[in-house]
Amino acid sequence: ASGQSPSSVNYAEFMLDRLPTLLCALLLLLVLRKLGKIHMCLRDFVVQAALNSSGGEPVCKEAQDKGTEPSAHWADVAGRWVVDRTEGDVDGVLGLVGYGTWPRTAFKLAQYGRGVAHIDITMHSARSCTLTFGGGPMPPTTNSMRVDGTVQTFIGNEGIPGDDQYTVAMWWEGDAMVAWGEHKSGRFPRMDTRRYLRDGIDGKHHSELVVERTVEGVFSRMIYVRRS
């Protein structure tokens, strides 16, 4: 009586049966799209806040992708630290960042500054610090750094003797202060650094500062202890 064929009736019933499912799927897509926009807005807000706090300096991609809130123990990083021992291929790292055979031999004979080479760290806030390296044959170097992922200039070789200029960025990843540095001449490969605290072999809480350096896959670790 309606003039509709059986096939069209069956198709209409098929669509009606699945209408709630289709509507739910559409609603889910809309929600996910909205959440995606919210995520993008939040990410842009965080990046812009970092730019504003640093006077408009660019924030490196690694800090945007991997950076976290500062460690709850950020204030413990402050102190006067001296080299206690080393692990890994320190000589290999030195060679890759430009040190010749004779300087590397001298550093090795001196046990890479054990008991002499030191770093003094002042934490002005969770995202601002001053690093002073000294104790070796070279004059000490001091750098005031922002720990917010912004790109800045660093004088010295990340605790290795020398006063070269690097372009660096430093930020927090969990309990580690992470950084990369590139020699401004472009002659040497990038150095990646991680600094973090750990309990000492004597069991004392946060009595060791570990500094890990990686250059083109070559890894070294320097362990510092607090000095008087």
Side-chain angles (χ1 to χ4, degrees):
S2 62
Q4 291 181 324
S5 66
S7 60
S8 62
V9 171
N10 291 339
Y11 178 74
E13 291 176 349
F14 174 84
M15 292 301 295
L16 285 173
D17 288 343
R18 283 155 179 78
L19 185 59
T21 302
L22 292 172
L23 289 175
C24 288
L26 179 61
L27 180 61
L28 179 61
L29 287 173
L30 291 173
V31 170
L32 290 174
R33 184 177 180 183
K34 187 70 173 178
L35 288 175
K37 289 182 178 179
I38 292 173
H39 172 74
M40 291 293 291
C41 289
L42 286 173
R43 188 185 70 178
D44 293 344
F45 174 79
V46 171
V47 172
Q48 188 60 47
L51 286 169
N52 292 339
S53 66
S54 62
E57 295 293 335
V59 177
C60 72
K61 185 177 185 303
E62 293 89 341
Q64 295 182 38
D65 293 342
K66 301 178 182 179
T68 66
E69 289 298 310
S71 167
H73 310 290
W74 65 266
D76 293 346
V77 177
R80 293 155 52 87
W81 304 90
V82 64
V83 173
D84 182 67
R85 60 195 186 277
T86 62
E87 300 171 357
D89 190 358
V90 181
D91 184 74
V93 169
L94 288 170
L96 286 170
V97 296
Y99 288 89
T101 302
W102 288 110
R104 299 203 319 268
T105 300
F107 297 151
K108 188 174 183 178
L109 290 173
Q111 297 181 296
Y112 301 112
R114 181 180 181 183
V116 177
H118 61 263
I119 174 174
D120 296 343
I121 303 177
T122 302
M123 298 298 298
H124 307 290
S125 71
R127 296 194 183 273
S128 175
C129 66
T130 298
L131 310 176
T132 299
F133 299 95
M138 305 294 290
T141 58
T142 298
N143 292 272
S144 293
M145 306 293 298
R146 296 186 300 276
V147 195
D148 58 5
T150 53
V151 179
Q152 50 206 299
T153 297
F154 186 97
I155 307 298
N157 294 330
E158 271 289 314
I160 302 170
D163 58 356
D164 297 1
Q165 287 197 14
Y166 282 77
T167 298
V168 305
M170 183 183 292
W171 64 95
W172 288 100
E173 287 185 20
D175 287 333
M177 293 172 67
V178 180
W180 56 255
E182 295 179 342
H183 199 278
K184 286 205 169 184
S185 70
R187 293 182 297 158
F188 308 113
R190 162 173 155 163
M191 178 187 290
D192 293 294
T193 305
R194 296 180 69 88
R195 291 185 179 87
Y196 59 89
L197 298 170
R198 72 181 186 189
D199 295 347
I201 55 178
D202 57 1
K204 290 184 179 179
H205 183 58
H206 286 174
S207 61
E208 292 186 349
L209 173 69
V210 181
V211 181
E212 298 177 346
R213 299 183 178 94
T214 305
V215 182
E216 291 190 337
V218 180
F219 174 83
S220 72
R221 179 184 289 125
M222 302 192 79
I223 298 97
Y224 292 75
V225 295
R226 295 188 184 273
R227 65 191 183 103
S228 56

